[in-house]
Amino acid sequence: MPELNRINPKTEQNILRTMEALATEDDYLSAAAETETAVRVRKSNGEITLSLENWEDVHTAIKRRVIRRVLETHFSLLDVEFIHIDSIIGISCAENGKQTRVPGGVIAAKSYDFLSFFCPLDEAHSPLTLVRDKDTDFKYAGFWFCIDWRDEASYHKDVECLDAAFLSGPCLRTPQPEDYIVPLGMHGKKKLSDYLSDRKVPLHQRQGLPVLAVGSAVMMVTGVGISETAKVTEGTHRVCRIQYRKI
């Protein structure tokens, strides 16, 4: 400082003025980032999502701050550097399904019109066979299930009812490459991967999403829909009622 003051006696005054200007601009950027975060960021089913609607109109400086807020609030900024923030911005502009990992095991994935932030589950899930007429409840693949068998269907939120006549040794498991489903309201079968794509289920959620299947025929995809094959009709005499909840 003495040497700088010798060159320019107003050095300290200029530095203070610059600091005041930067502090004011930082306040403005922080407020703008707070507004964008409040509008765009939501927490649902264990994931944090950031809406990408009109994201291209948001200045890069604000994008960086919004992403930092997401990580700081819901995960951690430990070891997160500038390059990691910019890699997430890059994913937000990429095609659906692209993802990147940042320190702390957090994955950011492009999911149609959203960015999803989550920590993947590494646990494997063995297939679970349901026993007819045996009521039960259990946890499986991040969901709580309550299964009961009855004579009539009864619906409310997060409940599916299936015709028990078409459930011969039904198995609750995660998807397999050969799986297919007959979409509700249709007669032809469709590859499960195509069905999930049509229903816009994010790629990173598909592998661990519980399905109820008989062999390779999927009768229900948890939280997505059921097969036309196993739907309840006027001719149904026995119903498998499945209630589920994300945990």
Side-chain angles (χ1 to χ4, degrees):
M1 288 302 296
E3 182 63 21
L4 290 173
N5 284 327
R6 187 187 66 78
I7 297 172
N8 182 357
K10 295 185 177 181
T11 293
E12 291 186 23
Q13 180 180 347
N14 290 339
I15 291 176
L16 287 173
R17 191 158 45 235
T18 300
M19 290 176 62
E20 290 176 358
L22 290 175
T24 301
E25 293 181 7
D26 182 67
D27 288 343
Y28 172 79
L29 291 173
S30 293
E34 184 68 35
T35 298
E36 288 291 338
T37 301
V39 170
R40 295 179 180 275
V41 178
R42 297 288 182 270
K43 183 175 182 179
S44 176
N45 293 331
E47 287 189 5
I48 307 301
T49 60
L50 188 157
S51 171
L52 296 178
E53 184 178 0
N54 298 322
W55 182 244
E56 67 278 5
D57 297 332
V58 179
H59 195 282
T60 302
I62 304 299
K63 290 179 179 178
R64 288 177 178 143
R65 287 174 178 250
V66 170
I67 291 170
R68 282 182 62 87
R69 284 175 183 270
V70 169
L71 295 176
E72 182 178 28
T73 301
H74 301 283
F75 303 99
S76 172
L77 282 175
L78 183 65
D79 296 329
V80 174
E81 301 177 359
F82 182 89
I83 189 172
H84 300 124
I85 302 297
D86 269 16
S87 71
I88 295 176
I89 293 177
I91 289 298
S92 73
C93 302
E95 64 267 26
N96 179 53
K98 285 289 187 178
Q99 56 181 241
T100 185
R101 184 184 293 264
V102 298
V106 179
I107 290 179
K110 176 72 174 292
S111 302
Y112 299 100
D113 297 327
F114 294 87
L115 270 182
S116 294
F117 297 82
F118 60 96
C119 291
L121 297 175
D122 295 327
E123 57 182 313
H125 302 286
S126 300
L128 179 64
T129 300
L130 303 186
V131 179
R132 184 182 171 113
D133 292 324
K134 181 181 179 180
D135 296 349
T136 182
D137 66 278
F138 52 86
K139 295 178 181 178
Y140 187 87
F143 286 83
W144 169 80
F145 289 92
C146 179
I147 313 292
D148 65 87
W149 305 77
R150 53 179 65 191
D151 295 331
E152 295 181 354
S154 173
Y155 296 95
H156 62 76
K157 186 177 184 295
D158 297 336
V159 166
E160 297 288 4
C161 290
L162 306 177
D163 189 329
F166 296 92
L167 303 181
S168 177
C171 181
L172 191 67
R173 56 171 175 77
T174 50
Q176 301 298 317
E178 65 275 12
D179 285 347
Y180 67 89
I181 188 171
V182 179
L184 196 63
M186 298 178 61
H187 298 289
K189 65 183 182 181
K190 175 174 286 193
K191 288 182 61 176
L192 181 62
S193 57
D194 292 339
Y195 171 77
L196 295 176
S197 179
D198 291 344
R199 300 301 296 268
K200 293 191 174 181
V201 177
L203 282 172
H204 67 271
Q205 293 180 0
R206 298 178 191 178
Q207 186 174 1
L209 190 62
V211 301
L212 184 67
V214 176
S216 298
V218 173
M219 300 297 164
M220 182 194 79
V221 183
T222 305
V224 180
I226 67 170
S227 168
E228 174 73 16
T229 305
K231 75 175 183 180
V232 174
T233 67
E234 292 181 356
T236 299
H237 299 291
R238 193 69 171 154
V239 172
C240 176
R241 183 177 184 272
I242 304 176
Q243 183 178 0
Y244 57 88
R245 182 180 70 245
K246 184 73 176 176
I247 55 176

